[in-house]
Amino acid sequence: MSDSFIRSLPQQAETPNVRALASFRRDVMTPVGSQTVLTLAGTVISGTEQVFQAGALLSPSAYTVTGSTITLGTPANGTDEYQVHYHFVNR
C-alpha cells in the first residue's frame, strides 16, 4: 500500500467531460483609469461567469456579459484587480 494520496487519472480519449474541464478560464486584469469594459481571452458561456473585484464576488446585476466583453455598471477605480472565472466556447 502506497503512502501517496496523489493518484493519476487514466488517460482517455477526449470526452465531453474532458472538453468541459478544459474550457474553464480565469482571466486577471487591472483596468486603467475608470474603464467600464473588460475584454476576456475567450467567449463566455452565459451564466457561467463569476466576476471578482479586489477579491469580492460581484453580483451579476453589477455587470453585463456580451461574448468576450464584460461591461461594468460602475467604472473601475484603476487600482483594483479584477478576476473573471468562466467557461468559454471551446471548439
Side-chain angles (χ1 to χ4, degrees):
M1 186 161 158
S2 172
D3 291 332
S4 175
F5 290 100
I6 299 173
R7 301 277 184 223
S8 295
L9 295 174
Q11 298 297 314
Q12 297 178 5
E14 189 174 323
T15 65
N17 287 340
V18 170
R19 283 192 301 274
L21 289 172
S23 69
F24 183 80
R25 288 192 58 89
R26 179 181 69 116
D27 291 356
V28 179
M29 61 206 75
T30 303
V32 177
S34 58
Q35 271 183 268
T36 57
V37 176
L38 306 175
T39 303
L40 305 173
T43 299
V44 177
I45 295 174
S46 183
T48 66
E49 75 283 341
Q50 292 181 312
V51 181
F52 297 85
Q53 177 185 9
L57 178 63
L58 296 179
S59 167
S61 64
Y63 58 87
T64 58
V65 179
T66 306
S68 61
T69 302
I70 293 188
T71 304
L72 303 170
T74 303
N77 65 16
T79 60
D80 286 344
E81 177 181 89
Y82 284 78
Q83 287 191 29
V84 183
H85 303 191
Y86 61 99
H87 285 275
F88 66 98
V89 178
N90 187 11
R91 298 183 201 264

